[in-house]
Amino acid sequence: MILYWHRRDLRGTDNRGLARAVSLSADPVVPVFVFDPIILEHASPVRVACLLEALEGLREWYRERGSDLLVARGEASDVLPRLAAEHDIDAVVWAEDYSGLARERDRAVTAALEDDGVACETVHDAIHHEPGSITPNEGDHYSVFSYFWKKWRDREKREPVEPPAADALADVMGEPLPSRSELGFDEPTATPQSVTQAAARERVTEFCSEPIYRYADDRDKPAIDGTSRLSPHLKWGTIGIREVYEATERAAERAETDDDRESVTAFQRQLAWREFYAHVLAFNPETVTENFSGYEHAIPWRNDPDELEAWKAGETGYPIVDAGMRQLRSEGWMHNRVRMLVASFLTKDLLIDWREGYDWFRRNLADHETANDVGGWQWAGSTGTDAQPYFRVFNPVKQGREYDPNADYIREYVPELEAVPADTIHDWPALESDRRVTLAPSYPAPIVDHGERRERAIAAFEQARGE
Ligand SMILES: Cc1cc2nc3c(=O)[nH]c(=O)nc-3n(C[C@H](O)[C@H](O)[C@H](O)COP(=O)(O)OP(=O)(O)OC[C@H]3O[C@@H](n4cnc5c(N)ncnc54)[C@H](O)[C@@H]3O)c2cc1C
């Protein structure tokens, strides 16, 4: 028999790993998920809530087909050999995960299974083009996205994979899933969007029917639901990337204008960023904690604890920054434009190490994905590959005016400013303090002066670069 080990691919359809497991033998496949303490150590309440919801959905999917998802607790390198012996397993199949921690775990699992004479097979599933498959003339991965994108875009994509037939799945019965508290996690402060296979498919269908044609225009406006919100699904694998891509290709075929078609391409480009960062991380696993660029230890981070707390709480007195930080806390998600802004504010205006911000995002994002999160933080902190130049510091007032002109997004998450006119909201840091107190007594004054902090950040980076 074959054991299929689900990890971050919590679905039955368009699952290359599961399809491979089914193709290996005429015997039915036994599906399993392992709650591994080594991995859970890096989890958080909101992500465990998403994981359990996705697993519940996956279990239901198997039960509708007369099978079940086995669940086990313990280190995967102990649990899988035990399950393999219990179910008389010849081979264990799983889909590759490219982070350093995952690869370390997978090496331990492979060694333990092979010691017991059980074969291991892995497939590439999470991204279209695996690390090492798109390379520059010299080196193992691209460091500049635009070059990567050109090759990624032109490369043929795989078709979605059919789900296995019901009789290819073993008639097993699993234990109930552990609860969040049994796994040792508190109730999350955020209520994240639903993360199931059905919700993912609904989201793709809806997004590709119409909003995708406005994506190029709307994607930077946080008050509009103009992006796909697929990130939690891609993180947990409740939808396959081939299925997503195919839906975008169908949308491109239905496009009526060049603008529509270009908008679809703009969306596909973002899918390519996800793969670019997966490649960067696969070949540079140390960048989870170290700067990608040379100036490790040279940047004089200040790490003021009060300023860090104000940033986390959404109490900086910069309305768009605070709106983003509060969206994160309440939904476990934040709009991309605002992620860039709050990350710039932390690393430049506050001169706080990007690792502090990464750690907060890691704990609070439902879609936290190591490659994208590290990539995003090192981009904003100007320490990454193809990063924001250190001298281009986002102005949170201008950005608020440009991308949330009516302050609808700000008012949604900062209710203290609900009755304040949009222009005055954007002017908030420059208002006289008496005026601020009259308008919104419970909303804070700006904790820093952006102009001064911008100069300070540029000087600090120049010093770190030896200029
Ligand atoms: C500081 C910072 C931290 C981030 N952390 C994460 C993270 O932990 N997980 C995560 O998935 N994304 C992260 N991003 C990237 C981006 O903000 C989110 O992918 C996006 O906001 C998710 O919303 P969406 O699905 O509606 O995106 P859409 O705009 O609809 O994009 C579709 C998909 O493309 C991918 N994508 C889009 N933008 C990016 C990007 N800049 N980099 C990599 N992939 C991208 C995502 O998979 C996304 O779901 C981060 C960005 C920054 C600046």
Side-chain angles (χ1 to χ4, degrees), residues 193 203 207 215 219 225-235 241 244 266-277 333-344 357-358 361-362 365-380:
Q193 69 189 71
R203 192 73 206 169
F207 180 72
Y215 179 78
R219 59 181 293 253
D225 190 16
T227 66
S228 71
R229 294 199 74 149
L230 281 174
S231 51
H233 295 297
L234 292 171
K235 191 256 153 21
I241 191 62
V244 173
F267 179 73
Q268 292 175 334
R269 195 169 187 274
Q270 293 312 112
L271 298 177
W273 266 107
R274 174 174 173 267
E275 306 207 0
F276 173 72
Y277 281 141
W333 187 87
M334 194 195 298
H335 189 277
N336 179 60
R337 165 65 41 189
V338 192
R339 288 188 206 205
M340 295 195 289
L341 259 171
V342 303
S344 173
Y358 170 73
F361 269 32
R362 183 178 64 76
L365 278 174
D367 68 15
H368 161 71
E369 176 144 4
T370 309
N372 290 354
D373 217 356
V374 166
W377 274 101
Q378 295 227 34
W379 178 88

Side-chain angles (χ1 to χ4, degrees), residues 144-150 152-153 157 212 215 219 245 248 261-277 386:
V144 177
F145 173 74
S146 52
Y147 299 143
F148 175 86
W149 159 240
K150 279 188 200 135
W152 188 92
R153 186 189 54 191
K157 304 284 178 287
I212 196 168
Y215 179 78
R219 59 181 293 253
Y245 192 78
T248 67
R261 239 179 310 279
E262 276 165 28
S263 188
V264 174
T265 305
F267 179 73
Q268 292 175 334
R269 195 169 187 274
Q270 293 312 112
L271 298 177
W273 266 107
R274 174 174 173 267
E275 306 207 0
F276 173 72
Y277 281 141
D386 207 0

Side-chain angles (χ1 to χ4, degrees), residues 217-377:
D217 290 334
D218 289 352
R219 59 181 293 253
D220 274 321
K221 300 171 190 157
I224 294 179
D225 190 16
T227 66
S228 71
R229 294 199 74 149
L230 281 174
S231 51
H233 295 297
L234 292 171
K235 191 256 153 21
W236 296 105
T238 41
I239 194 146
I241 191 62
R242 292 153 298 277
E243 195 175 334
V244 173
Y245 192 78
E246 190 183 59
T248 67
E249 287 288 273
R250 298 289 86 83
E253 285 165 15
R254 291 192 306 273
E256 288 173 2
T257 65
D258 286 349
D259 283 354
D260 285 357
R261 239 179 310 279
E262 276 165 28
S263 188
V264 174
T265 305
F267 179 73
Q268 292 175 334
R269 195 169 187 274
Q270 293 312 112
L271 298 177
W273 266 107
R274 174 174 173 267
E275 306 207 0
F276 173 72
Y277 281 141
H279 287 215
V280 171
L281 182 69
F283 289 107
N284 307 276
E286 72 289 351
T287 55
V288 175
T289 51
E290 290 172 23
N291 290 344
F292 180 88
S293 61
Y295 35 56
E296 180 67 19
H297 308 305
I299 302 170
W301 301 115
R302 281 182 64 259
N303 296 342
D304 180 307
D306 293 337
E307 291 181 3
L308 178 60
E309 284 315 306
W311 178 82
K312 286 180 182 174
E315 298 277 349
T316 66
Y318 281 86
I320 192 140
V321 172
D322 294 341
M325 297 308 291
R326 296 184 195 191
Q327 180 178 33
L328 174 64
R329 275 186 90 115
S330 68
E331 295 172 15
W333 187 87
M334 194 195 298
H335 189 277
N336 179 60
R337 165 65 41 189
V338 192
R339 288 188 206 205
M340 295 195 289
L341 259 171
V342 303
S344 173
F345 192 82
L346 187 83
T347 53
K348 306 291 173 49
D349 291 61
L350 305 185
L351 216 51
I352 290 179
D353 195 327
W354 65 265
R355 282 158 279 225
E356 292 283 356
Y358 170 73
D359 194 48
W360 187 246
F361 269 32
R362 183 178 64 76
R363 276 190 272 157
N364 287 284
L365 278 174
D367 68 15
H368 161 71
E369 176 144 4
T370 309
N372 290 354
D373 217 356
V374 166
W377 274 101

